[in-house]
Amino acid sequence: MPCAVTRTTLQGMTHIPPPAEELRILDGELRQLDARRALLLTRRAWLIGVLHSAPVPPPPPPRRPETTAPSVQNVLLVLGGILLTVAAIAFTLVSWGHLGITGRAVVLAAVTLAALATPVALLRRGLRSTAESVAGLGLALTVLDAYALHEAALPGANGTAYAALASAVLAGVWAAYGQGLGALLGRPERAAARLPLRLPLPAALVAVQFPLLLWAIAAGAGPHTLTGALLTTAAFDTVVALRVSVRSVRLVAAVGAYGMGGWGVLAAGRLSFEATGPSAAARAAALLAFAAVIALGTAWRAPRVDLAVGTAVTGGLLLVAGLGGILRVSLPADWTVVGYLVCAVALLTVVRGPLPEPVRLGLAWASGSVQALAVVSALPPVAVALLGPAGWAGRIWSGAPSDIRAAVTAGTPWPPDAATAPLVLAVVAGVSVWALRTTQWRPQAMTGALVLGWATALVLPATLELPYVVGLFALGLTAATAVAVAAYARRAPTAYTATALALITSVSLSFLSLTSRPATLGVLAALTALFAVAAVKVRPASVWASTSLAGATALACAAGAAAGWAPAHTALLVLVVPCGAALLAARLDEPGTTTAVEVTGSVAGLVAVGLAVTDPPLLALVLALCGVIAAGTAVRADRRSVGYAATALFVLATWVRLGSWGVGAPEAYTLPVTVPALLVGVVRRRRDPLASSWTAYGPGLAATLVPSLLTAWGDAHWLRPLLLGAAALLVTLLGARHRLRAPLLLGGAVLALDALHELAPYLVQLAGVLPRWLPPALAGLVLLAVGATYEQRIRDARRVREVLGRMY
């Protein structure tokens, strides 16, 4: 500030407010600061809440390598070994001709020795994977050495024979190389327990697969020798797989055993199948036996039970195939299955020897498999014998054939080579009982033997071409035997199976008897009697009783047809069955049997109705007789509901009779319904006073009143409406007298409609005479009157409703 300014001047320029004013100014500034601070604190709290409620983004997952270091190492080493091998092959095939003999030998020898020696140094440094790759290159170079040797020094040698020799030498060299590395490294115990390199020994085992086969091909051997070479190689692989502890070697040996062995088994099986003489079949059998020895030896020494059982099954099947092939060429064509079956049965004798349990189980399964196949081969004639008789349904009583085979082949031809089917079935049945008699499978074996024995009895008459009558007796005896087995069986499955077999046989026998009248009547009568006896002696009685009644129904139909009766007259004979069923059911104590008998009798009644449907008078009689039977059944306390069926049958009988007489009046059809219904209603009201009149009398009254009213509206005469009105008036008065709602309303409604029908012509005439303004005027007056007395009408309507409500 300039020095010339005086103190007086400074005092005049400086404005200092008074203390009170300055205090007021300070207080205002502090209030503004507090407000600003509160606003900032509020904003701060809101921002903190937003940050806490917002989801925190997860940190990005750390990047992981997609592969492991050992995997990368192995890929690189394998790829390097492959590239070196390809380079060696290219050098041998392309650049070989540019070098002399000495150069070729030096180059191959140097490279091969270097490749085979390098893994030793790598193993000493602990580079096992690299050593594996280099060793693989060395093994590949030895193959190229063998090829180069043939091309350079032995160009004229037989290529196949040289390949066989080379593969054998290479196998030995590789095996020695793999075993020798452990000794060379100074750790023989490791060489025996865990090989330094995993590749040489499996590679040697792969090379072993070819020498025998290639030598046989080079020598021009036949198919038997080639098959022997395959099986011998498979035997060597099997021994290695069972005795060597190195996992990689065992795996390669197992693959070789399955591959070469499977190839050899297929070849031996084809030779056995194509053999035309005993000599060729014997040689094929020897090969199959050799394969079986390999499989059984594997089963004997297998470390696992499942492997032992599986190979034992294979060995057993191969033995059966070989021995059965010899029998096949020695026996007629029909006995081929029998030959194989005999071998399978003979195999069961071996099972009882001193064998390990897995081997014994596998041989048993092999024998059972062959027996099952034999049974399957015998099923076609069984199917023909069972289903063929159904062809007679289209030509009933056309004449009995000469023998039973001609009868069962009415619709299907007899299968070829089926002469030994009964023998096969019988042998398998006997063997199953004999072999499993002391095991836990004995019940199942007995049931299976029962089915096989039944199949044998079913197919035997047709196989032997027995006379027709003899065949019928044989099948009838089979059904009777099945019934006897069901009667005396101790186990429920066997009894049920025997019951089913008896029923199936009876159906087939019934169809088979349709060739002539005497046969049909005799067979149906015998079956009816047989099942009637079974219903008394055998459980479940319901099945036998129903079957006996069904047979009686068929017998009645057949008897009527044989007598030359019309179907409607035969229906009267069929009604004997439901009548007998009703009488029998009344004497039975078992509910299940009672129900079965009644149901079968009802079905027989329906059959009778179906037979009589073409003759209305007889149909009415049949329906009435059925109603009598139903009414007799309804007498029993537990069958009261059958009374409704009896009533319906009586009504239907009445309707059919009226229709046959040409009656067209509906009252003739409805009154037979109304009268019983009203009687039932009266009885019900007496037993249950609280029962509604609609339930007791409504259906009966409506059954006649409604059809009559509909008919009266189309009737031009006066008699029907008059009678209907009188009847409706009577019903209405009775309803009013006894205070019953249903008669009162039904009768009143019908009476009103009937009166309206009678007055309708006069109303029409009156409508033509009156002026057109009169109906609207009358309607208006009615509305005024109703409106004027609305409250009174409502009161009167309530009273009417109360009166009706007090009625029943």
Side-chain angles (χ1 to χ4, degrees), residues 150 154-166 214-220:
H150 177 268
L154 302 170
N158 188 330
T160 306
Y162 180 79
L165 178 62
L214 294 177
W215 274 332
I217 295 174

Side-chain angles (χ1 to χ4, degrees), residues 157-180:
N158 188 330
T160 306
Y162 180 79
L165 178 62
S167 60
V169 173
L170 289 176
V173 171
W174 293 349
Y177 176 71
Q179 289 287 345

Side-chain angles (χ1 to χ4, degrees), residues 762-776 778:
Y762 302 102
L763 294 177
V764 171
Q765 295 177 4
L766 182 62
V769 175
L770 295 176
R772 295 187 177 182
W773 56 266
L774 186 58
L778 292 176

Side-chain angles (χ1 to χ4, degrees), residues 61 167 204 497 590 659 694 721 749 756 764 787:
S167 60
T497 303
E590 186 178 353
W694 287 107
L756 179 63
V764 171

